Structures are given as C-alpha cells and as structure tokens.
Amino acid sequence: MIDLKNVSKIYDNGSIALDHVSLHIGKGEFVFVVGASGAGKSTLIKLLSHEELPTSGTVYVDSTAVNRLPKSRVPYLRRKMGIVFQDFRLLPNKTAEENVAFAMEVIESPRRVIKERVRNVLDLVGLLGKADALPHNLSGGEQQRVAIARAIVNRPLLLIADEPTGNLDPETSRDIMDTFKKINHMGTTVLMVTHDKQMVDLMNKRVIEIVNGHVVRDEQKGGYNDED
C-alpha cells in the first residue's frame, strides 16, 4: 500500500526532515508512527499526499509513484486517502451530516448516493442521532467522529490520522481508537501519527519510530517506547 524507497527530504533552510528512509506498509495494516516533535513524522504524511516532494528517492501509494505524478493527477491520488487532523477542521456553519456530505459533493457524487452513504458512515461512528447538529453543539469527541466520517465517506484505501486524540481526554480517546479499529477491520489501511503513549500501548499494533529523520525502530505489536 505504501512504499518509501531511500527517501530523503531536505528543506530549503537545510533542515533534514527524512534521511534515506525505506519502509513498506501493506494493505490493511494499522501502523503508528511515533517520535518527538520535529522528527519527520509530519513530513512523511505530506510526502504521501503530494503536499511535499522528496529531495531524493521515490514514494509509492497503491503502486503509484507519488512524486512523479503530474499535478493534474494529484486530486485522483488524494481520493484514495482520507485524512483526520487533531483540530477537526469542520465547517462551522454546516451540520454534521452536511460536513460529511461536502467531501462527496466536491467530487460530484450523485445526490442519492451521498445521502445514503453519509447516513451509513455517521451510523458507523455512532453519530446518526446527531446528524443535524452544528459543530459548536458537539463535544470534542463527537466533532472528531464527524471528521473521521468525512475522511472515510469516499471509501479511501488509506486513512491517515495526524494526532487524532491530541485534544481529547483519555476515555474519549479510547472510544475514538475503537472507531479507527473498526474501520481498519473493514479493510482500510490506517496510518496514525501520535504522541499518545497510552493509546499506542493499548492498541498493541505495529510501531514505526522516527528520530532525527531516521527510522530507528519498526516492530510488530509494539509499544510507544522500546522498553515497553
């Protein structure tokens, strides 16, 4: 699903975000990417979505060489992935249902398909009863569930989550992680960048640790730290 072949990213100011990184993430895997701030985690996400290009090496998503794509093909690449952010990024004047529907409207999905699929994904994340609520009337956990529903409504092959529990309390974080687990069980590859030690240890999934642009650890059923 994801392959990085000897990928380096050096920014214009000379900062080395990734240094000769090679890794493979298979279809249907659930992978945590951990490391200190500035280690290169966010750069990795940006390379996958073509927001940034590598200085050297090749990035593949679903067998597509991302950094070789012409700009006209980038939107089609991004349709294969959903992205969930720490700060939700919901449209404040749209209801939960409208926020999720918007992701399908921008790719001009048929209206009847939008209505049915939006209701289905809101049900999946446990928010069908809040479909008509505006974001400011939802809790932080509920807003994140809307964001997750929006990210998966177009049935992406890859779901990327960037610190999805960063603004949530531990109990809500567990509920959100259960939602990600459910989505993963349906066949979606999940790549999650996080500092949430408790959730990484609880999930017991594959852990990739990045330090100063290098992958220093890659283990199945890992914890947040080596010694765990």
Side-chain angles (χ1 to χ4, degrees), residues 134-196:
L134 291 169
H136 70 266
N137 290 323
L138 298 171
S139 69
E142 288 170 338
Q143 290 185 62
Q144 190 60 292
R145 288 175 184 275
V146 175
I148 293 169
R150 180 183 58 191
I152 65 172
V153 72
N154 286 321
R155 298 179 177 172
L157 298 173
L158 171 64
L159 180 60
I160 298 171
D162 190 1
E163 300 287 358
T165 60
N167 292 328
L168 306 176
D169 62 78
E171 184 177 350
T172 304
S173 295
R174 282 192 293 273
D175 290 340
I176 292 297
M177 294 307 298
D178 284 342
T179 301
F180 279 110
K181 192 188 301 184
K182 192 185 305 181
I183 293 165
N184 178 240
H185 285 164
M186 295 169 66
T188 304
T189 305
V190 177
L191 178 67
M192 185 176 298
V193 170
T194 186
H195 286 106
D196 195 333

Side-chain angles (χ1 to χ4, degrees), residues 16-19 21 33-44 195 209-215:
I16 301 174
L18 293 174
D19 190 3
V21 169
V33 179
V34 303
S37 296
K41 306 184 305 298
S42 294
T43 295
L44 172 61
H195 286 106
E209 183 176 2
I210 300 178
V211 175
N212 295 327
H214 296 271
V215 173

